[in-house]
Structure formats: structure tokens, C-alpha cells
Amino acid sequence: MAATTEFVPPRSGRIDAKYNRVPGRKGNFEMLAWLFMRISGVFLVVLIFGHLITNLLVGDGINGLDFGFVAGKWADPFWQFWDLAMLWLAMLHGTNGVRTIINDYADKDRTRFWLKGILYFATIVIITLGTLVIFTFDPCIPGSPLEICK
């Protein structure tokens, strides 16, 4: 019979040196990114369900969604910041998830660099434009006969 070698873990309970983390390489970034995903996910669930309940269940429901509804909603700073928080958290949460996928599946450093560069650029553009739309939204069309616009 052939002798078999069986792995016996060291009695000290310490991890084998080859599995120890390399200090200083990425620091705590990956752990903080993981933690951000969990915390932002909880906040996003609250923000999204609040958004859906307010827009679809209260008042006229889906039939009441129109330009005037959005204009009235964004006239209140509370809803501006609610939608802003939802936009920022959703974009950063999604960007972090896609960044993780790129790190996992892009084999070449150059490919990983360009994919993440495009991802970060798109994220910055969408967050910037979305923030501008939320805070500069003006329901008054020039020359409008509405009382609110005078």
C-alpha cells in the first residue's frame, strides 16, 4: 500500500505564512468598499421603496405621474435631497459593483485600466448631470401663463 500524505494543520492555530495578507498593498479600501455595498444597499432599499410608494401608491397613482407632479415634488427641498441621495447611492453602489466585476474578469492590467476609466468617467457624468437636473429644475417655461411662473 502506498503511503498517503495528509495535511495536518499547525497546532499553534496560526495561518500558514503563504496565506498572510501583504501589508500596505491595498490597505483597507476593499474592506471599506465591501462595507459600503452593505450599508448603501440598506439605505437604497428604504429610498427606493419610499420613492415607489410616494409616486405610485399615494394620490392618483401611476395616472398622476406627469410633468406637474415632478415639478411639485421637486419644489420641496426634502424631495430634492431624497432623490439626490437615491441617485448618488445608486450610482456609487452600481459603480462599485461593476468595478468588482472588472477586477474579477479583466485579465490584462491595460484592459482593466481602460474599463475602469470608462466606468468612472460615465459615473461622474451621470452624477453631475443628475445633480444639476435636480437642483436647477425650473417648471416655468419662458412666456408661460401659469401663476406660479410670474
Side-chain angles (χ1 to χ4, degrees):
M1 230 189 245
T4 59
T5 58
E6 183 177 327
F7 174 74
V8 178
R11 293 183 189 267
S12 67
R14 294 185 179 194
I15 298 174
D16 192 357
K18 68 181 176 185
Y19 296 114
N20 284 338
R21 295 181 181 175
V22 179
R25 181 163 178 211
K26 289 188 180 182
N28 286 333
F29 178 76
E30 290 299 329
M31 190 269 305
L32 292 174
W34 177 87
L35 190 62
F36 170 77
M37 291 296 277
R38 273 60 187 171
I39 294 171
S40 67
V42 171
F43 280 111
L44 277 169
V45 167
V46 172
L47 290 169
I48 290 168
F49 277 110
H51 176 82
L52 290 173
I53 289 168
T54 302
N55 291 346
L56 301 178
L57 298 179
V58 177
D60 294 334
I62 196 165
N63 296 324
L65 291 179
D66 59 3
F67 182 82
F69 178 81
V70 175
K73 190 174 172 192
W74 279 354
D76 183 359
F78 174 80
W79 290 112
Q80 285 181 326
F81 283 106
W82 184 283
D83 287 350
L84 182 73
M86 193 167 49
L87 167 73
W88 277 64
L89 279 178
M91 283 304 302
L92 295 175
H93 184 93
T95 298
N96 192 31
V98 173
R99 179 194 63 82
T100 303
I101 292 169
I102 290 170
N103 284 339
D104 286 346
Y105 291 104
D107 293 331
K108 298 178 184 176
D109 288 339
R110 189 172 185 176
T111 304
R112 192 176 308 114
F113 171 81
W114 284 106
L115 288 173
K116 288 199 290 189
I118 293 167
L119 173 67
Y120 296 150
F121 177 75
T123 300
I124 290 169
V125 167
I126 290 171
I127 286 177
T128 303
L129 290 176
T131 303
L132 286 172
V133 166
I134 290 172
F135 286 117
T136 63
F137 181 77
D138 185 9
C140 298
I141 300 169
S144 174
L146 296 174
E147 289 294 322
I148 192 174
C149 297
K150 291 182 179 179

